[in-house]
Amino acid sequence: LDIEFAITRNWEVVIFQVRPLTAVKPHSIKKLESKIGSRILACQKQATDLTKKSRTNNQTQIFSDMTDWNPAEIIGNNPNVLDYSLYDFLIMNKAWSLGRKNIGYHDPRNQKLMIKFGNKPYVNVESSFDSLIPKNINKKLSKKLIKYYQKKLLENPHLHDKIEFEILFSCYDFTLDKRLKELQKYGFNKNEIGTIRSSLIDFTNNTVNKFPEIHAQTQKATHLMAEKRELLNKNTEKMENDYFSLLRVSENLLKDCRKYGTTQFSTMARIAFIGTILLKSLVREGKISHIFYDNFMNSIETTVTRFQNDLELYYRKKLSKKKFLDKYGHLRPGTYDITALRYDQNESFFSKTYPINHTNSKIQFKKFKIKSFKGNPLNFKTIDFLEFVKKSLIQREELKFQFTHNLSDALEYIVLATEKLGLSREEIVNLDIKTIFNSYKKFNKTKLKKVLKKRILLNKKKKLLNDYLILPPIIFSRRDFEFIQYYVSKPNYITSNAITAKIISLGEKNESPDLTGKIVLIENADPGYDWIFTKNPAGLITKYGGVASHMAIRCAEIGLPAAIGCGEIIFDYLSTSSKIFLDCKNHQTMIVENKENDQYTEERKVLKSLGYIK
């Protein structure tokens, strides 16, 4: 039933109308509802079991789709089995924690960061909090900090995609002393607050001083991964009909990706976060201006700048199509999605791509004397502060570019191998990567095909049922599986520009529409969506994404106005419009023109929220 009602100030319920939503036969509904009810109960039990394993013995265990490694942004709200398993294999199982341990954070002892309720991926927030406490803070004080973080998130659920800027004390920054005062309200004494402060200062200084060494190590690992990839690719030229060898190459590419790519990326992403936090705290404290910050970010040249420059050379006939695709052909919109075509497989990629208007700032930044700020305890003797921020961001993006190359090639070898078994891309998305790699060594070709087919059918059936589940962005208790709440998010605004333009919603991963002069609306985007910037959009708005996410860095680099991570409510509201006003300086997004009224819009919203339609 669709029930429209209101609640008065006296808590009286006033019903406006009640009507049936569908003409499905009652016995069919009853059978389906019984299955869905069982899945909800299973999810609730899963959450309860995980809460019992809490390190802090806390009654509240929190799960979020946008905290920390934000799975909703990277693999989406309802990923395929293969997408989820690849993200877990490459990052969320071990690499995420090893990368943090390398620079002095707590070792979370092989805790898994990501779990799945139904088809929806979540981050175990307690594991995230635990992994972002410097190891020089003792166990007792760490537990107290985790409980404080959990309580603050419980009081401010809309901050679940901004925990590192609004909730955590993961490094020293120039707002730290003001923020630490809040701990007194939560039962922390002066000695404990002093210990936290000095620990964060030591941790940050150690990270800064070790950065040149870490930077050199990551460059070495990146080169080694590229060399090994080139050798593996060269050896596959004679394997076209050998599914076993193709799968073995794929497995080796993914293992190299994790060993030399994602683990180092986890480390560098954290260091880049520290640099970003420091820089933003200088803006908050009024020590540098928003204009200085925007110009500095616009001066950074990462892989997207090279991509744009090379595309310009291609248009001017100074770079061949082959050489361009040799560099960038591995990118695909949906990095973990095997059904998404790579740039070198998508014939329409060049057909509607235009020379780029956006250019990087030519401002040269002198050495930035961070030590001149009063009371600053940071030690930047071995490296200039702005150079530290710039190099960490550039290296982070380079690592991502390189490890996604391994991943993309590995996916294509899986496609080639499984084609020999009579399986399509659309079928193998229903297979877990571990199932693929464990099975091909155990069985002959005939048996392997039967085993994989059986697993595909089983996972398909399970996913179809889970598709009916509507789950919230953040889970605090069993009740959240039954009563779905959405919180109004605060978008991360990039640049200080204001624009008014028509909007275009980007849905299909293999489409290539004309984006010139339009504000692009997209749920989530990864390196494979960098083609967006070659089409001269006026701005960008995403449903998912944090302040230091891929698209946030990209937009800052080219000076593109953007609202990153606006959440379900704002995003769905903007999707009903045809023209909007995006004011990044004043943090506003307003509808200027609505689409043509549709008498069934509200009905469709209700049906979608209940899972009857997509």
Side-chain angles (χ1 to χ4, degrees):
L1 297 175
D2 169 22
I3 305 172
E4 293 183 9
F5 66 94
I7 302 174
T8 70
R9 286 195 178 93
N10 297 324
W11 298 103
E12 293 175 322
V13 176
V14 180
I15 296 176
F16 298 135
Q17 62 177 320
V18 180
R19 56 191 171 192
L21 281 172
T22 174
V24 179
K25 294 179 181 179
H27 70 273
S28 300
I29 295 175
K30 191 172 182 180
K31 188 176 180 181
L32 181 60
E33 283 184 345
S34 175
K35 289 181 179 179
I36 294 170
S38 297
R39 287 300 304 130
I40 291 171
L41 287 171
C43 288
Q44 288 175 320
K45 184 180 183 303
Q46 182 187 355
T48 301
D49 291 344
L50 286 166
T51 301
K52 289 176 182 176
K53 297 176 183 178
S54 165
R55 278 192 69 244
T56 56
N57 301 316
N58 207 337
Q59 297 297 316
T60 302
Q61 186 78 304
I62 306 171
F63 306 97
S64 161
D65 67 0
M66 274 302 296
T67 294
D68 204 345
W69 282 88
N70 41 41
E73 180 192 7
I74 307 299
I75 54 175
N77 230 351
N78 187 22
N80 291 310
V81 175
L82 183 60
D83 302 29
Y84 179 90
S85 67
L86 282 166
Y87 194 45
D88 192 49
F89 177 84
L90 291 177
I91 294 176
M92 304 297 267
N93 196 0
K94 288 182 180 178
W96 71 281
S97 57
L98 288 174
R100 293 175 183 183
K101 180 184 174 185
N102 288 343
I103 54 171
Y105 282 113
H106 266 184
D107 179 5
R109 293 186 296 279
N110 295 321
Q111 290 182 49
K112 281 191 69 173
L113 187 62
M114 183 170 67
I115 55 97
K116 183 163 60 171
F117 294 110
N119 292 332
K120 186 172 170 64
Y122 288 89
V123 160
N124 184 327
V125 174
E126 183 179 285
S127 296
S128 172
F129 288 163
D130 187 20
S131 73
L132 289 170
I133 296 175
K135 66 181 180 183
N136 55 5
I137 295 179
N138 66 54
K139 190 175 179 180
K140 184 179 178 181
L141 190 52
S142 294
K143 283 187 176 183
K144 194 169 182 178
L145 265 175
I146 292 171
K147 286 186 176 182
Y148 157 73
Y149 296 151
Q150 288 171 322
K151 189 170 183 181
K152 189 163 183 187
L153 182 55
L154 196 60
E155 294 168 354
N156 302 276
H158 62 286
L159 296 178
H160 76 118
D161 64 335
K162 297 176 181 64
I163 61 161
E164 292 164 84
F165 291 90
E166 305 288 347
I167 293 178
L168 300 184
F169 303 112
S170 60
C171 67
Y172 177 84
D173 71 74
F174 294 95
T175 67
L176 183 66
D177 290 335
K178 289 180 182 177
R179 292 179 60 220
L180 283 173
K181 290 178 182 177
E182 186 182 6
L183 291 179
Q184 295 175 18
K185 301 175 187 175
Y186 289 84
F188 288 78
N189 60 45
K190 288 184 178 180
N191 286 336
E192 289 172 328
I193 293 172
T195 298
I196 293 168
R197 184 182 188 275
S198 60
S199 296
L200 291 170
I201 291 169
D202 289 344
F203 165 79
T204 307
N205 278 326
N206 287 336
T207 302
V208 169
N209 290 324
K210 285 169 62 178
F211 176 71
E213 179 187 344
I214 294 170
H215 186 264
Q217 289 171 351
T218 57
Q219 283 187 312
K220 186 178 179 181
T222 303
H223 292 318
L224 183 58
M225 180 171 60
E227 287 173 5
K228 289 174 70 96
R229 179 177 65 242
E230 191 175 335
L231 186 61
L232 284 167
N233 284 338
K234 196 173 182 180
N235 291 337
T236 58
E237 292 173 2
K238 298 177 182 178
M239 298 179 185
E240 287 185 11
N241 296 310
D242 184 358
Y243 77 89
F244 185 93
S245 297
L246 288 168
L247 287 174
R248 185 170 58 191
V249 170
S250 177
E251 186 174 9
N252 287 334
L253 280 168
L254 290 177
K255 284 181 177 177
D256 285 349
C257 181
R258 184 171 61 182
K259 184 176 181 180
Y260 304 111
T262 56
T263 301
Q264 283 74 17
F265 175 74
S266 176
T267 298
M268 195 54 65
R270 179 50 35 196
I271 294 173
F273 239 119
I274 291 170
T276 305
I277 288 171
L278 283 167
L279 199 58
K280 281 188 168 289
S281 70
L282 286 170
V283 177
R284 284 186 178 186
E285 291 297 290
K287 298 183 186 298
I288 62 175
S289 68
H290 284 281
I291 294 173
F292 180 95
Y293 175 86
D294 288 346
N295 285 337
F296 172 72
M297 294 301 290
N298 190 227
S299 73
I300 297 174
E301 296 187 1
T302 68
T303 50
V304 75
T305 307
R306 294 204 309 269
F307 177 83
Q308 291 177 327
N309 291 340
D310 284 343
L311 191 60
E312 188 73 23
L313 290 174
Y314 165 77
Y315 279 113
R316 290 161 56 194
K317 301 188 184 304
K318 292 188 176 181
L319 183 70
S320 69
K321 184 176 180 180
K322 184 183 182 304
K323 285 187 177 179
F324 179 85
L325 290 176
D326 283 345
K327 282 186 181 182
Y328 308 105
H330 68 277
L331 295 171
R332 65 175 88 223
T335 298
Y336 296 84
D337 185 358
I338 206 166
T339 66
L341 296 179
R342 294 166 33 135
Y343 285 5
D344 57 13
Q345 296 169 332
N346 191 346
E347 292 296 326
S348 66
F349 174 73
F350 289 99
S351 63
K352 291 183 181 178
T353 307
Y354 307 99
I356 297 92
N357 290 332
H358 298 293
T359 56
N360 285 75
S361 169
K362 300 300 180 185
I363 298 173
Q364 296 295 317
F365 290 87
K366 297 177 181 178
K367 285 200 171 184
F368 191 82
K369 295 182 179 178
I370 200 169
K371 63 183 180 182
S372 64
F373 297 127
K374 187 178 178 182
N376 166 38
L378 295 181
N379 179 9
F380 275 90
K381 288 181 180 178
T382 58
I383 187 170
D384 174 64
F385 171 65
L386 291 183
E387 200 65 17
F388 167 75
V389 178
K390 181 181 284 190
K391 280 188 173 181
S392 63
L393 285 169
I394 291 172
Q395 188 62 27
R396 185 190 100 149
E397 295 306 302
E398 182 61 30
L399 276 162
K400 189 189 298 177
F401 183 77
Q402 292 295 338
F403 88 67
T404 55
H405 200 155
N406 266 50
L407 169 57
S408 187
D409 287 355
L411 288 177
E412 291 311 303
Y413 289 129
I414 290 172
V415 171
L416 288 173
T418 51
E419 278 178 352
K420 314 302 174 194
L421 303 171
L423 301 174
S424 67
R425 289 177 189 260
E426 287 68 27
E427 288 177 301
I428 55 179
V429 294
N430 296 289
L431 289 171
D432 182 288
I433 193 63
K434 287 184 179 178
T435 298
I436 295 172
F437 289 155
N438 289 338
S439 301
Y440 85 91
K441 298 168 188 172
K442 289 182 181 178
F443 308 111
N444 62 35
K445 188 175 180 179
T446 305
K447 179 68 173 175
L448 177 62
K449 184 176 179 179
K450 286 182 180 178
V451 168
L452 296 183
K453 279 272 191 185
K454 185 178 179 180
R455 184 56 63 93
I456 286 168
L457 289 172
L458 184 69
N459 287 342
K460 257 187 177 180
K461 190 176 179 181
K462 190 185 293 185
K463 189 175 188 303
L464 282 171
L465 179 60
N466 283 331
D467 280 347
Y468 283 102
L469 295 182
I470 306 296
L471 296 172
I474 187 164
I475 294 167
F476 293 107
S477 70
R478 290 173 61 95
R479 187 174 181 272
D480 291 315
F481 290 98
E482 297 169 356
F483 299 92
I484 311 303
Q485 294 187 70
Y486 293 98
Y487 305 95
V488 178
S489 300
K490 182 182 176 184
N492 303 289
Y493 289 93
I494 311 299
T495 78
S496 301
N497 300 333
I499 56 168
T500 299
K502 290 185 176 181
I503 68 166
I504 181 168
S505 294
L506 220 53
E508 292 297 321
K509 50 187 171 284
N510 295 323
E511 67 179 346
S512 185
D514 182 4
L515 310 180
T516 306
K518 298 184 180 77
I519 295 174
V520 178
L521 260 67
I522 187 168
E523 287 205 3
N524 55 301
D526 55 27
Y529 281 96
D530 283 352
W531 61 267
I532 289 173
F533 303 115
T534 71
K535 298 198 171 193
N536 295 323
L540 180 71
I541 295 176
T542 70
K543 182 187 286 189
Y544 304 114
V547 69
S549 65
H550 179 81
M551 280 300 175
I553 299 297
R554 289 291 191 257
C555 291
E557 182 182 346
I558 65 172
L560 186 72
I564 305 296
C566 64
E568 295 266 357
I569 295 172
I570 296 175
F571 189 85
D572 289 347
Y573 175 63
L574 295 175
S575 297
T576 66
S577 67
S578 58
K579 184 184 282 188
I580 61 175
F581 172 57
L582 176 59
D583 183 358
C584 297
K585 184 177 181 179
N586 296 305
H587 292 188
Q588 289 184 337
T589 310
M590 297 168 60
I591 290 178
V592 177
E593 290 179 8
N594 274 308
K595 291 177 182 174
E596 187 177 343
N597 287 335
D598 184 340
Q599 60 177 320
Y600 298 111
T601 298
E602 292 305 315
E603 284 82 349
R604 276 202 291 268
K605 282 183 181 177
V606 174
L607 287 168
K608 184 180 177 182
S609 71
L610 295 173
Y612 286 98
I613 63 172
K614 292 294 176 187

